[in-house]
Amino acid sequence: MRIKKGERTQIIEKMKMEELKEFLAQKKIRPSFYRLKIYHFLIKERTHPTADEIFIHFKKEIPSISRATIYNTLNLFLSKKIVQQINIEKTEARYDASLSWHGHFKCLGCGKIYDFQIKEIKIQGLEDFDIQEKYLFLEGKCPYCLKRKIFLKGGKNGA
Amino acid sequence: MRIKKGERTQIIEKMKMEELKEFLAQKKIRPSFYRLKIYHFLIKERTHPTADEIFIHFKKEIPSISRATIYNTLNLFLSKKIVQQINIEKTEARYDASLSWHGHFKCLGCGKIYDFQIKEIKIQGLEDFDIQEKYLFLEGKCPYCLKRKIFLKGGKNGA
DNA sequence: GTATCTGCAAAACATTTGCAATTCT
DNA sequence: AGAATTGCAAATGTTTTGCAGATAC
């Protein structure tokens, strides 16, 4: 299976569990029960969840699951470069299975993370630098919170 | 003292301690001993230090200083919007007294944070959003590390 | 003299690690 | 059996907090 970079996300979304298994194996990740579950969750729900949100999600279904497993799995995915870490919040990391070059917007009203397209970035001063990774994070209010006039008072995260 | 946004940084750099005192007072921050010290350090050394680096720096000079004071002071500065927090590393926050719109580049070889100018950013998909904050973080190798062929193996931070 | 500021130690929180138990091939 | 995966509890590292003592206006 050869996939062009831009299309990877959409293609993965259409995959069934069996296909995910193949995908992980191909990336030299043994497709264990939790790895499949967690990766599937990341590509299906595109909510950029935190490790703890993933833990809570599966805790209901599988009460024996441990946080260490979530972290181990996510770190494995990061090292194999099939997910990216989003450090838009200083408190906890979020995870995104979409690898394409895009930005993240955090709504300070509801806390939701939105993806957006980056058309162009012009910078100056790094002419002799080797740039390997790029992160663009924006914060503000999403249209729903603007309408509903939900404003965050003093806290750190929306909820 | 009225300062145009773009020039603020340069002007602050030329200030002497007495002027800093005025500046803090004007921002409704009582210019205590440590607040002056820490703010002066941030604008003089433009190294984007972590809270702990600031702590270590002053520990030599004033051994009685405590980490809580550093954090209290930095959080006060953040709430009064005279410094910005740089969350380019997931491990610990860095602090920058330059408030102008600019990006941060982290060298994966030596760990140094470089500022750079942002000329233009074109995005799509946030037409109805209210954007309040913008952060652009890049990672890679700085020219010195490229020359010296210092490469980071597995660790998280350069040193 | 009353507010604020500072230092200390403990707490809180996200994440990592060591190790034993389990699972997979 | 042997290797990899998982769960638990403890450890780690950063940041926050409660409170007592010091300092400033």
Side-chain angles (χ1 to χ4, degrees):
Chain A
M1 187 190 331
R2 202 129 13 78
I3 306 167
K4 260 188 267 167
K5 228 190 162 182
E7 300 164 12
R8 188 181 289 148
T9 308
Q10 294 94 308
I11 291 174
I12 287 172
E13 278 204 294
K14 287 177 201 146
M15 286 183 179
K16 307 261 177 310
M17 273 295 181
E18 267 315 303
E19 296 172 86
L20 285 186
K21 224 169 192 166
E22 268 180 57
F23 176 79
L24 291 182
Q26 193 186 301
K27 293 285 182 180
K28 311 281 182 210
I29 299 169
R30 292 221 325 215
S32 77
F33 178 69
Y34 282 129
R35 289 171 183 175
L36 273 166
K37 282 268 184 191
I38 293 169
Y39 189 63
H40 182 246
F41 181 69
L42 283 172
I43 57 173
K44 202 181 140 216
E45 320 277 331
R46 320 179 104 281
T47 54
H48 319 86
T50 64
D52 211 60
E53 283 167 3
I54 299 173
F55 174 73
I56 299 292
H57 174 84
F58 286 114
K59 189 72 182 172
K60 295 172 203 158
E61 195 182 327
I62 314 134
S64 68
I65 197 171
S66 120
R67 272 188 184 79
T69 300
I70 306 288
Y71 282 110
N72 285 339
T73 304
L74 290 171
N75 285 336
L76 178 69
F77 288 172
L78 287 176
S79 72
K80 299 292 184 180
K81 297 192 193 305
I82 66 164
V83 308
Q84 61 171 315
Q85 201 176 41
I86 309 171
N87 293 307
I88 196 170
E89 290 159 309
K90 53 189 165 314
T91 45
E92 46 186 347
R94 295 184 168 274
Y95 298 87
D96 189 348
S98 166
L99 299 168
S100 66
W101 166 226
H102 65 277
H104 292 105
F105 174 95
K106 182 188 172 185
C107 176
L108 297 172
C110 61
K112 194 176 162 187
I113 309 287
Y114 293 84
D115 290 332
F116 62 87
Q117 273 185 67
I118 301 167
K119 292 291 184 188
E120 192 183 359
I121 291 189
K122 273 191 214 161
I123 61 168
Q124 201 171 70
L126 299 182
E127 286 72 22
D128 298 323
F129 288 62
D130 171 30
I131 298 169
Q132 295 169 13
E133 302 291 340
K134 298 171 282 187
Y135 306 98
L136 178 58
F137 300 135
L138 306 184
E139 283 182 351
K141 296 273 159 48
C142 75
Y144 307 99
C145 288
L146 282 173
K147 264 187 215 155
R148 288 170 202 161
K149 290 191 180 143
I150 297 168
F151 290 92
L152 197 68
K153 277 144 207 167
K156 299 158 190 180
N157 297 325
Chain B
M1 192 187 327
R2 199 127 19 76
I3 306 168
K4 260 189 266 166
K5 228 191 164 181
E7 300 165 11
R8 189 181 288 148
T9 310
Q10 294 94 308
I11 291 173
I12 288 172
E13 277 205 293
K14 287 178 201 146
M15 286 183 177
K16 307 261 178 311
M17 274 294 182
E18 266 316 302
E19 295 172 86
L20 286 186
K21 222 169 192 164
E22 269 181 56
F23 176 79
L24 290 182
Q26 194 186 301
K27 293 286 180 176
K28 312 281 182 209
I29 299 169
R30 289 213 335 208
S32 76
F33 178 67
Y34 282 128
R35 290 172 182 175
L36 273 167
K37 280 268 183 191
I38 293 170
Y39 190 64
H40 182 246
F41 180 68
L42 283 172
I43 57 173
K44 203 181 141 215
E45 320 276 330
R46 320 178 105 281
T47 55
H48 319 86
T50 65
D52 211 59
E53 282 168 3
I54 299 172
F55 174 72
I56 298 292
H57 175 85
F58 286 113
K59 188 74 184 172
K60 294 172 205 161
E61 197 182 326
I62 315 133
S64 68
I65 197 170
S66 119
R67 274 187 183 79
T69 300
I70 307 288
Y71 281 109
N72 285 339
T73 305
L74 290 171
N75 285 336
L76 178 69
F77 288 172
L78 287 176
S79 72
K80 299 291 184 180
K81 296 192 192 307
I82 67 162
V83 308
Q84 61 171 315
Q85 201 175 42
I86 309 173
N87 293 307
I88 197 170
E89 289 158 309
K90 53 188 164 313
T91 46
E92 45 186 348
R94 294 185 168 274
Y95 298 86
D96 190 348
S98 166
L99 298 169
S100 67
W101 165 225
H102 66 278
H104 292 104
F105 174 94
K106 181 188 172 185
C107 177
L108 297 172
C110 61
K112 194 175 162 187
I113 309 287
Y114 293 84
D115 290 333
F116 61 88
Q117 271 185 68
I118 300 167
K119 291 291 184 187
E120 192 184 357
I121 290 189
K122 272 191 213 159
I123 61 168
Q124 201 171 70
L126 299 182
E127 287 71 23
D128 298 323
F129 288 62
D130 171 30
I131 297 169
Q132 294 170 13
E133 302 292 340
K134 298 171 282 186
Y135 305 98
L136 178 59
F137 299 136
L138 307 183
E139 282 181 351
K141 297 271 158 50
C142 75
Y144 307 100
C145 287
L146 282 173
K147 264 189 214 156
R148 288 170 201 159
K149 290 192 180 142
I150 297 169
F151 290 92
L152 199 67
K153 276 144 211 167
K156 296 160 191 180
N157 295 326

